[in-house]
Every structure is written in C-alpha cells, then in structure tokens.
Amino acid sequence: MPQIVDVAEFLHCPSLILDVRSPGEFFQGHIPGAQSFPLFSNDERAEVGTCYKRQGQETAIELGLAIVGPKLAGFVTQAKALAPDCRVRLHCWRGGMRSNSMAWLLETAGFQVTLLRGGYKNFRHWVRSTLATPKTLAILGGMTGTGKTEILAALAEQGEQVLDLENLANHRGSSYGSLGLPAQPTTEQFENHIALVWSQFNHQRPVWIEAESRRIGLCRIPDEIFQQMLQAPVLQILRSRPKRIEILRQVYGSVKSEQLIEATERLRKKLGGLRTQQAVEAIHQGDLTTAIDLVLDYYDKTYTHDLQRRGVPIHSIDIADASPTASAALLMEKSQDWLITSQPMPISITAT
C-alpha cells in the first residue's frame, strides 16, 4: 500500500513528483519540480468527464479503463526512465481515482509510492495559508535602472533572505520587461513558486523584496504578500541618471530594435505621441541612450507617485557607482537600524 502523507511531509520527501493530472491542468498550475505524467490527455479527460455527466460514474469508469489499458506498460517504462531508483511521489487533483490507479500500477511494478493526501487541491490550500504567514520585510526601492535586481542577487549571495518576484515571474515589471526572457508562468503557478520560497524563510530575519506594482507583466502578486509589501519600510537606492542609462543599455543593448520599438509603442498613450516618435526614431538610429532618456521620465514619475502613496518610512542611500556586492553590504549595514522596530504585521485576506 502506498504511504499517504500531508503537504508538508510530501514536499520534503526526496523522490520525484509525478503529477498524473491532464497536461492542461498541469500547465495551469503544479507543484514546482513536479513532472507531468498524465493518466489522460486533455481530450481523453474531457471525454470521460462528458461520459460521467451523461451516463453516470460506472460507464465513465469503464471508458477510463478502456482508454488507460493500452497505456499501462508504457507508464511503467516511462516511470522507470524518470525515476531509476523506483521511488516516486504521486498526486492528482483531489487524491482520488487517478492517483490511486497509478499508485497501484507502479507498486505492482516494484515502485515505492507516496501519495499526497487531498491531492493538488490540498496543496493549493497550503499555498494560501503559507502566503498569509507574516514576515518582516525590507522593500528595496529605486528608480528604473538603479540595478535593484543585481543587488538582490548580491544580498542573496551574502546570506540574506530574498524573494525575487521578477525572477519568478520571468518579467522585469515594465513594458520592456519580457524582452529576452522565457514565457511567464500563470498567476497560479507564480503563487506556487512564491509559497515554496516563502515557507523556507526564517520569520526572525528580514525578507528583501523589490518594490513592485500589483502586477508583474501578466502575473499578479498574491494579495497576502502585496499587503505586507505596502506596509513595510522602503530602502531606496539612488544613482545618477547617466549611470542608470548605462545600466539599462547593458540590459537591453542586445535586444532587437523591432522588439524595443514594439514595447515603446505600447507606452504611446502614457508617453505622448511626440515623445514616443522621438524614442522610436532614436532606436531606429541605434541611439539607445537618447531613447532610454526619453522613456525614463515616464517611469520616474510613475515610481515617485507609487512611493508617495505608500505612506511608510523611506530611507535613501546614494550608492553612486558601487558594485552590487558593495551596495548589498551597505544596505545590510544600514538596515540593522532602519528595520529594528519593524515587525511582521498580521493580515486578513479572503481567498477566492
């Protein structure tokens, strides 16, 4: 018989996770690190579901068996290739027939199987509960081009607790934010990744997070986290405008001009027609310095407005030309005084 465990224990088991839900369900959201191992394809799942509604459970089970039967040997072969040690964790949506059927098959083939009690649905309950756990936050602020991403990475390298939302979202949080990056996850998957990272943080130490809007590209920051971010003090880094332009040139210098122009055109209503045309023309001419300078005014105004709305303590540090490592060290030193009275605040979020 397979071992059935709760979410916390399931996540800490060392074996491979096989998600036996359909590919469509897996794409919408899955446990990070899990391998898609569908019992049914998307079409097959829909067919069985329709049969269940029209003809009842017994007929639907018979149809499911007819679909799965020819696949059994292939499932075993595939599982052995994925998990040569023959140890796996399995789950479906609610910990029901799909995962139990696959567990029976793999145990028959000699596998040691661990099942997730309540399935992925229970994992999602765990995600919501985990995200609502309060932490002491240090919000890293700074206008576009100040190098916040690199400083966050340097903070992590020096042992600080960091939640890099833009990295998890595959987006830099602007009209240009997706350029050169992989496709974004769904918001549900974004939440799953955040929850796993959040669960590992020590609540007695601060968590560094970059100041963000509610959305990062297509991904929405969970309300449980965002409300804590709005209440936390901001440690704002300052750099000269020429230095910021230099940093942005390094980030976007290798991006194709067509992509830069498309991203600039998306800002036309906010930049204004004349400024947009000037920026586009500068990109055509390979003059990224001028193009960036034209666009920065809009982003600076947006950032300043967002910061002023927060109504929290804002501490500024001019890091000039300091490296990310040196900047991180300075922030760590200063934050000991600035965050000493900051405590995690309980929040109340109604999950939908």
Side-chain angles (χ1 to χ4, degrees):
M1 292 291 291
Q3 182 183 16
I4 304 176
V5 300
D6 290 325
V7 175
E9 185 175 351
F10 186 85
L11 292 176
H12 286 91
C13 292
S15 52
L16 176 68
I17 300 176
L18 298 181
D19 184 334
V20 302
R21 298 175 303 148
S22 67
E25 292 173 286
F26 184 87
F27 174 80
Q28 181 61 31
H30 54 270
I31 298 174
Q35 175 77 39
S36 181
F37 199 80
L39 190 69
F40 299 121
S41 68
N42 293 333
D43 291 341
E44 290 167 347
R45 176 173 176 259
E47 184 181 358
V48 172
T50 300
C51 180
Y52 179 87
K53 292 178 182 178
R54 294 178 177 176
Q55 303 180 51
Q57 182 180 25
E58 184 176 343
T59 303
I61 291 175
E62 291 176 358
L63 175 59
L65 290 173
I67 293 173
V68 170
K71 303 180 182 181
L72 297 182
F75 284 142
V76 172
T77 300
Q78 185 182 0
K80 286 184 176 179
L82 292 171
D85 61 353
C86 291
R87 298 171 60 196
V88 296
R89 289 171 280 173
L90 283 178
H91 75 84
C92 59
W93 167 238
R94 288 181 296 191
M97 190 171 294
R98 285 185 287 180
S99 57
N100 279 293
S101 298
M102 187 64 75
W104 169 83
L105 172 65
L106 294 184
E107 281 203 321
T108 301
F111 278 77
Q112 178 182 329
V113 178
T114 301
L115 289 175
L116 173 59
R117 180 176 286 108
Y120 179 74
K121 182 178 182 180
N122 190 29
F123 170 74
R124 284 293 296 170
H125 286 311
W126 175 87
V127 167
R128 296 258 73 92
S129 175
T130 298
L131 294 175
T133 304
K135 311 284 185 184
T136 297
L137 303 187
I139 303 301
L140 181 61
M143 292 184 175
T144 300
T146 48
K148 297 183 292 294
T149 298
E150 291 74 18
I151 292 174
L152 280 179
L155 285 165
E157 289 175 358
Q158 296 185 45
E160 293 295 293
Q161 299 185 137
V162 171
L163 179 63
D164 190 342
L165 292 171
E166 293 186 359
N167 180 57
L168 296 178
N170 290 336
H171 202 281
R172 301 185 189 93
S174 72
S175 179
Y176 305 86
S178 64
L179 301 183
L181 295 177
Q184 287 197 263
T186 64
T187 288
E188 182 175 312
Q189 187 59 28
F190 181 53
E191 292 174 346
N192 292 345
H193 280 292
I194 293 172
L196 281 191
V197 177
W198 196 257
S199 69
Q200 297 170 18
F201 289 144
N202 182 342
H203 72 277
Q204 295 180 334
R205 299 174 55 213
V207 176
W208 293 84
I209 305 180
E210 182 175 341
E212 302 284 359
S213 300
R214 188 176 294 272
R215 288 188 178 274
I216 304 177
L218 299 176
C219 292
R220 180 184 174 92
I221 298 175
D223 286 342
E224 298 93 332
I225 302 292
F226 192 69
Q227 292 303 318
Q228 295 187 58
M229 292 171 63
L230 291 178
Q231 298 170 22
V234 176
L235 281 65
Q236 179 178 225
I237 53 176
L238 306 175
R239 286 193 196 269
S240 68
R241 193 178 182 96
K243 181 61 179 179
R244 292 164 56 207
I245 292 174
E246 177 188 336
I247 289 174
L248 291 170
R249 280 182 56 86
Q250 293 173 358
V251 173
Y252 295 106
S254 60
V255 175
K256 293 180 180 179
S257 59
E258 294 82 2
Q259 294 176 304
L260 291 172
I261 290 171
E262 183 180 353
T264 303
E265 288 288 358
R266 286 196 292 267
L267 295 173
R268 178 174 287 273
K269 288 185 178 180
K270 298 173 180 178
L271 286 177
L274 177 59
R275 187 174 289 267
T276 300
Q277 191 57 42
Q278 290 173 333
V280 168
E281 183 60 31
I283 294 171
H284 273 305
Q285 296 175 1
D287 184 4
L288 281 189
T289 296
T290 297
I292 292 170
D293 191 46
L294 287 165
V295 173
L296 270 185
D297 285 338
Y298 159 69
Y299 281 112
D300 287 356
K301 290 178 183 178
T302 301
Y303 168 79
T304 301
H305 175 70
D306 176 70
L307 204 61
Q308 291 173 343
R309 285 190 309 146
R310 290 175 181 255
V312 298
I314 300 173
H315 308 282
S316 298
I317 306 177
D318 190 337
I319 58 175
D321 293 334
S323 68
T325 300
S327 300
L330 182 59
L331 283 167
M332 290 165 60
E333 176 188 347
K334 297 293 186 181
S335 67
Q336 293 180 8
D337 294 328
W338 291 339
L339 300 177
I340 194 168
T341 59
S342 299
Q343 297 295 326
M345 301 181 67
I347 59 173
S348 176
I349 297 292
T350 302
T352 56

